Amino acid sequence: MDRDAARLLCLRGTPVSPGLARGPLVLLDEAVRAGARGLNSAGDEAARLRTALEGARGDLQALMASIGGSEGETILAFQVGMLEDAVVTEPALVAIARGEAADTAWRAAMDAQIRGYHEAEDLYFRARASDLRDMRDRVLRHIAGESAAAIAPGSIVIATDLSPSRFLEIDWNGGGIALFEGSPNSHVAMLARARGVPMIVSLERASLLGHEEALLDTDNAVLVASPDAKTSADFRQRQQACELAKADDARYLAARALTAKGETVQVMINVADGSELEALDPAHCDGIGLVRTELLLRNLAELGDEEMQYRAYGRILKWANGKPVTFRTLDAGGDKPIAGYTIDGEGNPFLGVRGVRLSLLHPQVLTTQLRALARAAALGPLKVMVPMVANPRELDRVRALLDGAVAQLRKEGIECGFPELGMMVEVPAAALTIDLFDADFFSIGSNDLIQYITASSRDAGSLAALQDPLQPAVLRLVHEIVAHAVKHDVPVSLCGDMASDVRCIPALLGVGLRCLSVSPSALGPVKGAIARYRAGALEGAQPE
């Protein structure tokens, strides 16, 4: 065995964002260690902490501005809000008043909170533990006058976990991520998929000290450290083939989505707050299948501002240029809190008061949104979609509020339309009784549907195998929803991550779906997968 082959180390993991990457291996351990420095007066130490808090807030706000409005901005807003929360900062200031140094007090206060989040039973708090660690270390670096280690573009970053803010600071061009922990549905995994950064999680533990280069192969779910010449050459050939495949997919971007037999499939896109549309061409899609309005409305003032909402919805419709746009009513709660609106301290917020359940507790907020949407419906083809519907009464109550909002607008002489009202199918109770719902259209939310079907947290790395969208239970239920919709001539689509996963396209088309809503970056690959689909090619994988 030659020397290079003897150094080669192959570690398995779980792929969460597809792609191949090769570059310098960077072991990221950014925990800030306590440094030796003199203890100043309590007043000076408190001032030092407040200055560090302000500096950390400034970092995050500048990063939010630089990414130009996206889900990443919403994620960063959580940390900004925490840094401004006296409940978070007060324990450290109390400890400083007792004579502790600013860094020691802040670390102890944050470590206590991180333990609480990490050990919490509910998903929302566990998912935020990495955000709190990042926030802790960012403030500690400001106290110490340090900065985060620079990462060269195109690096293969190895870490225990990675915070969203750190991800957004790094130039990933050509690089990739391998985490010893992490999960397929963490914020960082979602960001990696949105930006096309190859990523694996649950990496096997091993010492990587002394290894300078790595290959990241998500097709085979491996990280190869110190590859030998043959492995590198084979990988280079696969990268070239991958680039050719990307170029082939790019050919489909501006074309209609047609199967190999010429059948048309609608391919729409999912958007956050609409700011990402500036870089997209509406000619490349058949419309917008999901606008996540909870990422556009971030505080109580905006929830009550009908005029602001109307203008925001109008801008998105103007971009669509006559193509249909589906706006989801507030899906707040779970991992998307809105201060003063969502319920704090729920034992399990993903199974708690979220989506339509929360909206119906605040009928005035929902009515304001429905008025703004009805007004915008006069500007172009607009649909309204209700999230987390579990029983027909919930949809009926929203329909009554929509009818009332339209009637009142007409009474006031305000121009408006009467939008179609549909529902997300993401709660198994709704999926299993789909025939009982009076919906104008259905949109399958695969992310939550898979989570609830399998009783497994979307953010639990150890349960990643249960999140496989191609398992029979998921496909069978999707098939039943689609079969009912087709039989009764009700439009049906799928707007979860499953639609953007090219592995799933044959199965989704095989169960009868002909409308998909995908992330904008997936438009070319998904259309390419549709073009290669031949009916009956996946019959063995289809539910009986």
Side-chain angles (χ1 to χ4, degrees):
M1 182 181 293
D2 65 42
R3 187 182 218 171
D4 286 345
R7 280 184 51 77
L8 181 147
L9 178 63
C10 183
L11 302 176
R12 300 200 67 81
T14 299
V16 299
S17 180
L20 304 172
R22 176 183 181 180
L25 187 153
V26 175
L27 288 171
L28 194 61
D29 178 10
E30 296 194 319
V32 183
R33 274 79 180 178
R37 66 176 183 83
L39 178 63
N40 297 310
S41 69
D44 287 344
E45 292 295 323
R48 184 187 295 269
L49 176 59
R50 289 192 176 96
T51 299
L53 291 169
E54 187 58 38
R57 274 197 301 271
D59 290 347
L60 294 168
Q61 288 165 344
L63 187 55
M64 288 167 67
S66 71
I67 61 178
S70 65
E71 291 188 55
E73 182 180 356
T74 302
I75 293 167
L76 296 179
F78 169 80
Q79 285 195 44
V80 173
M82 292 289 280
L83 288 169
E84 294 172 345
D85 190 343
V87 174
V88 175
T89 58
E90 190 60 28
L93 292 169
V94 169
I96 288 172
R98 291 198 305 263
E100 291 189 20
D103 52 353
T104 304
W106 175 251
R107 183 188 295 276
M110 288 305 300
D111 284 349
Q113 294 213 36
I114 290 166
R115 280 194 300 273
Y117 273 62
H118 186 70
E119 295 168 1
E121 292 186 3
D122 71 78
L123 176 61
Y124 170 71
F125 287 103
R126 286 203 309 274
R128 286 298 192 265
S130 64
D131 293 324
L132 292 180
R133 283 192 291 271
D134 176 60
M135 191 174 77
R136 175 198 64 192
D137 291 347
R138 187 178 293 276
V139 173
L140 287 173
R141 283 193 292 271
H142 274 276
I143 292 173
E146 300 174 353
S147 59
I151 305 295
S155 295
I156 307 297
V157 173
I158 316 295
T160 299
D161 203 353
L162 192 68
S163 69
S165 70
R166 195 67 178 105
F167 174 93
L168 292 166
E169 289 174 331
I170 296 172
D171 181 351
W172 294 106
N173 185 25
I177 308 167
L179 303 180
F180 292 116
E181 296 180 2
S183 72
N185 292 293
S186 67
H187 284 147
V188 168
M190 293 177 186
L191 291 171
R193 286 191 290 270
R195 287 160 174 75
V197 181
M199 178 177 172
I200 63 176
V201 298
S202 302
L203 185 68
E204 291 176 313
R205 295 276 181 174
S207 174
L208 289 163
L209 292 174
H211 294 276
E212 296 181 354
E213 184 187 22
L215 311 178
L216 188 61
D217 178 354
T218 66
D219 292 342
N220 294 300
V222 295
L223 173 85
V224 181
S226 299
D228 58 20
K230 183 179 185 309
T231 302
S232 295
D234 291 345
F235 191 81
R236 195 175 303 113
Q237 286 185 341
R238 290 184 57 214
Q239 280 186 305
Q240 291 170 351
C242 186
E243 289 303 314
L244 289 174
K246 285 182 180 179
D248 187 51
D249 288 339
R251 293 191 300 114
Y252 296 102
L253 185 60
R256 289 173 57 206
L258 299 171
T259 68
K261 293 186 176 181
E263 187 176 7
T264 298
V265 178
Q266 279 190 302
V267 182
M268 311 179 90
I269 60 171
N270 303 329
V271 303
D273 61 3
S275 59
E276 65 269 53
L277 295 174
E278 297 174 7
L280 302 175
D281 185 344
H284 293 169
C285 66
D286 294 307
I288 299 175
L290 170 64
V291 178
R292 302 179 176 96
T293 63
E294 67 279 357
L295 301 180
L296 188 154
L297 308 173
R298 295 168 183 164
N299 55 55
L300 281 176
E302 292 177 342
L303 294 185
D305 192 335
E306 178 185 322
E307 194 62 31
M308 183 279 290
Q309 292 187 44
Y310 167 68
R311 291 195 302 270
Y313 304 149
R315 284 193 295 272
I316 295 173
L317 285 162
K318 181 179 179 181
W319 176 89
N321 195 29
K323 293 181 178 179
V325 179
T326 299
F327 290 87
R328 182 172 68 189
T329 58
L330 280 174
D331 190 19
D335 62 346
K336 292 169 284 191
I338 298 176
Y341 178 74
T342 48
I343 297 174
D344 294 330
E346 281 192 286
N348 191 336
F350 270 80
L351 295 177
V353 183
R354 57 172 292 212
V356 69
R357 304 168 186 177
L358 186 60
S359 292
L360 291 173
L361 288 180
H362 301 273
Q364 186 54 54
V365 171
L366 178 55
T367 297
T368 297
Q369 182 171 36
L370 293 174
R371 281 175 59 94
L373 287 166
R375 290 173 60 190
L379 306 175
L382 180 152
K383 299 181 180 183
V384 176
M385 181 163 66
V386 185
M388 286 300 293
V389 176
N391 65 66
R393 292 187 303 276
E394 293 168 330
L395 187 63
D396 292 344
R397 289 178 63 189
V398 177
R399 188 177 293 279
L401 289 172
L402 177 59
D403 290 347
V406 171
Q408 185 61 34
L409 286 168
R410 289 174 174 171
K411 184 177 179 180
E412 296 170 10
I414 298 174
E415 187 179 10
C416 66
F418 209 130
E420 293 181 24
L421 183 69
M423 59 180 273
M424 295 279 288
V425 186
E426 52 195 337
V427 178
L432 292 167
T433 58
I434 197 69
D435 57 304
L436 303 181
F437 291 86
D438 179 24
D440 297 328
F441 62 91
F442 300 119
S443 184
I444 301 168
S446 59
N447 296 2
D448 274 328
L449 187 62
I450 294 169
Q451 169 173 252
Y452 297 140
I453 288 174
T454 60
S456 63
S457 162
R458 291 164 54 188
D459 280 340
S462 60
L463 301 178
L466 290 174
Q467 293 291 309
D468 179 8
L470 291 175
Q471 58 187 290
V474 174
L475 291 177
R476 182 171 296 177
L477 197 50
V478 170
H479 178 257
E480 290 177 3
I481 297 164
V482 175
H484 169 81
V486 171
K487 180 179 179 181
H488 296 277
D489 200 25
V490 180
V492 60
S493 63
L494 189 144
C495 64
D497 286 344
M498 191 176 180
S500 300
D501 187 339
V502 294
R503 299 176 306 123
C504 299
I505 299 306
L508 293 177
L509 297 179
V511 298
L513 270 167
R514 290 299 179 269
C515 182
L516 306 172
S517 193
V518 307
S519 64
S521 62
L523 276 170
V526 166
K527 287 185 179 182
I530 291 169
R532 293 185 286 274
Y533 172 74
R534 292 181 180 275
L538 205 78
E539 287 178 357
Q542 294 178 24
E544 298 178 357

